[in-house]
Amino acid sequence: MSASDTMKSMGLTSPGAEREKLNKLLKIFDDKGINLEDSKPPRDLNYRRVRFNGPSADGDGDPKLTQRVKTFYVESWPELRLNKDGTVMRPRSGRNLGGTPITENTATLVREIVHGSTVHSFCREWRKSSFIFQDSTSPYPWGLQTQRCGSRGLILAVQAFVIKQLIFDREYVSNILAQNALKPTEFERKRALISAVCEILWKAGDGKRCCVCLLQDKRSYPQDHRLRDDDVTEFFTSDKSPGCILFLYSLVLSASVFKLKEEMLITNETTYKLLSDREECNQALYSLIITGHACHYMHNGNLVYSSNGNLLDDVEPEELATPLKGIQERSQIGFLYWDKGENDDSRTEVGSMLKTPKKPIWLTLINNQPGLLFSTNIDLVSDWRVETRFILNYYTGLPGMPACPLHIETRFGRNALGRTKLHRRQQEENIPQLERCIMTKWYGAAVDWPDILPFY
């Protein structure tokens, strides 16, 4: 039996056929001059009418598309220019990108909910941050490059969904294929990034709406002293696009500013925002990417009473109390938190909705430094027997980071601590911070760093 027959018997499609279908789809949506609205063009503009015909009734027709498309209109064809390698040069003019230019009112709302002010602008590191994969010969061919700035948390949150697409969101999933998925081709990792961004934006829009911010050369609104220019919101450049900023704005507009204000409990007296004063991601932004809802808190459900049984607002009657909104359902991507500056009696609570996600991928925040933990075994979050001994991979996206597979043992736990209280305190202080974060999910777990010194 040939390889193609074997794949057909298993219900799988060949990689070549899947690649051909995706290339056709990308070719359709990559033509940025197409306007898919089925309406008549204005008479004062030079438009051409184009019709794509499907196969005829007798089957003699040559289909141009895989689905039926109505008549639509395209602008007059631009002059084609070729690069040195023979590829078609994309036009730099913003008018061919389509979409609706951002208004001054919308730009003001977006800047206020992101920065808390209309005069604050992104730093140089943020403007240089984009979604770029590491070299295919590196230990992390599936990994996105990060910088030591506030955009690293945003990139790692997207990286979690890229890993989810590569390993678990396949037509056929097995442990062997999951291990090979960490060696993707250029086509596979680019497809995973596109799928990850789409999933995050649609989740933020509750599956009903999605907004994508594009670049253009001309200003979208006139200059105003009340809204300080940042060279991003009001007017973009075509080359070296600030991908992280565009994704952040797309995320805000997909969720809508009014929904975010309601979820973040923003009023005239509160100044909650998605980025901190140091332009690092706040918890609301992490929750928005992971769950689609901008929650400040990580506990399960809503809290009305404090730990001692009193109403949180200390008001009567009970209906006037404002609950603390947390995570309402089990998320696809998990979240683990550790801060060495917190006391053991008042640590930030992370609920089981985030500690036990649907996929074994956890975004970590250790002493305000983001990272990523994941396993290739999908049973880790569904079968308790797998949790006795397993491997977690840790990733930060920083250049020069060595491969870091951590061997976790939960059956026998850590070695016995010292007999005296002073000795036990000294041993606890020597535990690496990453292990402490892991123990918030698997209490007392023993962590082995094979062939590498603990670096965090």
Side-chain angles (χ1 to χ4, degrees):
M1 182 180 294
S2 62
S4 60
D5 296 336
T6 304
M7 298 189 67
K8 289 181 180 180
S9 62
M10 296 176 62
L12 303 177
T13 58
S14 63
E18 184 181 358
R19 185 188 301 270
E20 183 179 358
K21 292 181 180 180
L22 187 59
N23 285 335
K24 288 182 179 180
L25 186 61
L26 292 177
K27 184 177 180 181
I28 295 173
F29 288 100
D30 198 35
D31 190 354
K32 298 177 182 178
I34 293 180
N35 180 10
L36 292 177
E37 295 182 359
D38 187 18
S39 59
K40 295 184 179 181
R43 296 181 178 179
D44 56 344
L45 296 179
N46 183 17
Y47 277 74
R48 295 183 181 182
R49 188 178 185 184
V50 179
R51 180 185 294 275
F52 288 91
N53 295 323
S56 59
D58 54 0
D60 296 335
D62 183 18
K64 299 298 189 301
L65 296 175
T66 58
Q67 60 181 357
R68 184 175 300 173
V69 178
K70 296 181 179 180
T71 302
F72 56 88
Y73 296 88
V74 299
E75 296 184 21
S76 56
W77 304 114
E79 180 183 358
L80 293 181
R81 297 181 180 180
L82 300 180
N83 297 317
K84 294 181 179 180
D85 56 356
T87 58
V88 178
M89 183 182 300
R90 292 293 180 187
R92 297 185 61 180
S93 175
R95 67 180 180 87
N96 291 328
L97 293 178
T100 304
I102 190 172
T103 62
E104 183 178 358
N105 183 37
T106 303
T108 301
L109 294 175
V110 171
R111 293 275 289 275
E112 286 179 347
I113 202 168
V114 171
H115 299 290
S117 170
T118 58
V119 298
H120 185 89
S121 59
F122 286 97
C123 64
R124 182 174 59 181
E125 287 75 14
W126 259 95
R127 300 185 188 188
K128 295 189 301 182
S129 300
S130 188
F131 300 108
I132 303 175
F133 283 101
Q134 296 196 24
D135 189 79
S136 57
T137 59
S138 67
Y140 305 100
W142 43 265
L144 296 171
Q145 300 179 13
T146 64
Q147 300 183 14
R148 295 185 181 275
C149 65
S151 64
R152 184 154 68 99
L154 180 73
I155 295 176
L156 288 177
V158 176
Q159 177 71 77
F161 284 88
V162 172
I163 295 176
K164 172 178 171 291
Q165 292 288 336
L166 285 174
I167 301 179
F168 305 111
D169 291 353
R170 292 189 165 211
E171 184 177 0
Y172 180 75
V173 180
S174 68
N175 291 333
I176 298 178
L177 292 179
Q179 296 175 1
N180 295 331
L182 296 180
K183 299 178 181 179
T185 63
E186 182 69 22
F187 174 81
E188 291 175 338
R189 65 183 188 177
K190 186 178 297 185
R191 179 181 60 180
L193 176 59
I194 295 173
S195 301
V197 171
C198 293
E199 181 180 357
I200 295 173
L201 295 182
W202 278 108
K203 187 190 294 282
D206 294 331
K208 300 178 181 179
R209 50 173 288 153
C210 176
C211 180
V212 178
C213 292
L214 303 176
L215 303 178
Q216 67 178 14
D217 295 333
K218 299 181 180 179
R219 294 182 62 98
S220 299
Y221 53 85
Q223 190 172 6
D224 193 321
H225 69 280
R226 296 170 298 179
L227 185 61
R228 180 181 177 183
D229 290 351
D230 62 356
D231 294 335
V232 177
T233 311
E234 75 285 343
F235 133 88
F236 301 115
T237 56
S238 298
D239 299 329
K240 298 181 180 179
S241 64
C244 289
I245 299 178
L246 294 179
F247 173 75
L248 177 57
Y249 282 175
S250 301
L251 188 64
V252 172
L253 294 176
S254 296
S256 80
V257 176
F258 302 101
K259 171 192 171 185
L260 294 181
K261 285 186 175 182
E262 181 180 355
E263 292 178 345
M264 297 171 64
L265 303 177
I266 296 179
T267 61
N268 296 330
E269 300 177 355
T270 59
T271 57
Y272 294 130
K273 52 187 180 178
L274 295 178
L275 296 181
S276 65
D277 294 337
R278 300 175 58 183
E279 293 191 347
E280 297 176 344
C281 299
N282 283 330
Q283 182 57 44
L285 180 55
Y286 287 128
S287 300
L288 178 60
I289 298 176
I290 294 176
T291 66
H293 301 281
C295 302
H296 288 292
Y297 306 99
M298 295 174 282
H299 54 73
N300 295 343
N302 300 333
L303 292 182
V304 180
Y305 294 90
S306 61
S307 57
N308 55 8
N310 297 326
L311 287 174
L312 295 177
D313 288 351
D314 292 328
V315 295
E316 296 290 344
E318 180 180 348
E319 287 76 16
L320 298 178
T322 302
L324 301 181
K325 296 183 179 180
I327 308 301
Q328 304 297 326
E329 60 182 2
R330 189 180 177 193
S331 61
Q332 293 285 336
I333 305 298
F335 189 88
L336 298 178
Y337 180 85
W338 173 262
D339 187 359
K340 65 179 181 181
E342 294 182 343
N343 297 325
D344 293 337
D345 298 334
S346 60
R347 291 199 174 276
T348 301
E349 180 185 357
V350 180
S352 59
M353 298 293 186
L354 290 176
K355 284 186 178 180
T356 309
K358 296 181 180 179
K359 301 296 187 296
I361 305 172
W362 293 267
L363 184 66
T364 63
L365 193 62
I366 307 174
N367 300 332
N368 210 29
Q369 295 298 320
L372 203 63
L373 284 170
F374 69 94
S375 172
T376 58
N377 191 350
I378 187 63
D379 296 331
L380 182 60
V381 291
S382 58
D383 190 350
W384 63 270
R385 291 169 295 185
V386 181
E387 294 185 278
T388 58
R389 179 178 297 177
F390 54 95
I391 297 177
L392 288 179
N393 298 280
Y394 184 64
Y395 181 72
T396 62
L398 296 175
M401 177 186 172
C404 186
L406 304 175
H407 293 244
I408 315 297
E409 171 68 52
T410 61
R411 175 178 295 182
F412 302 105
R414 308 184 68 86
N415 296 328
L417 299 177
R419 295 183 178 180
T420 63
K421 185 176 182 180
L422 178 62
H423 192 197
R424 288 195 298 269
R425 181 181 301 175
Q426 292 176 349
Q427 287 185 342
E428 290 179 356
E429 291 177 353
N430 294 330
I431 299 177
Q433 301 297 308
L434 179 57
E435 295 186 22
R436 288 180 174 271
C437 182
I438 294 175
M439 286 191 293
T440 60
K441 161 66 176 171
W442 294 279
Y443 179 76
V447 182
D448 183 24
W449 304 61
D451 301 329
I452 185 174
L453 293 176
F455 56 87
Y456 195 62

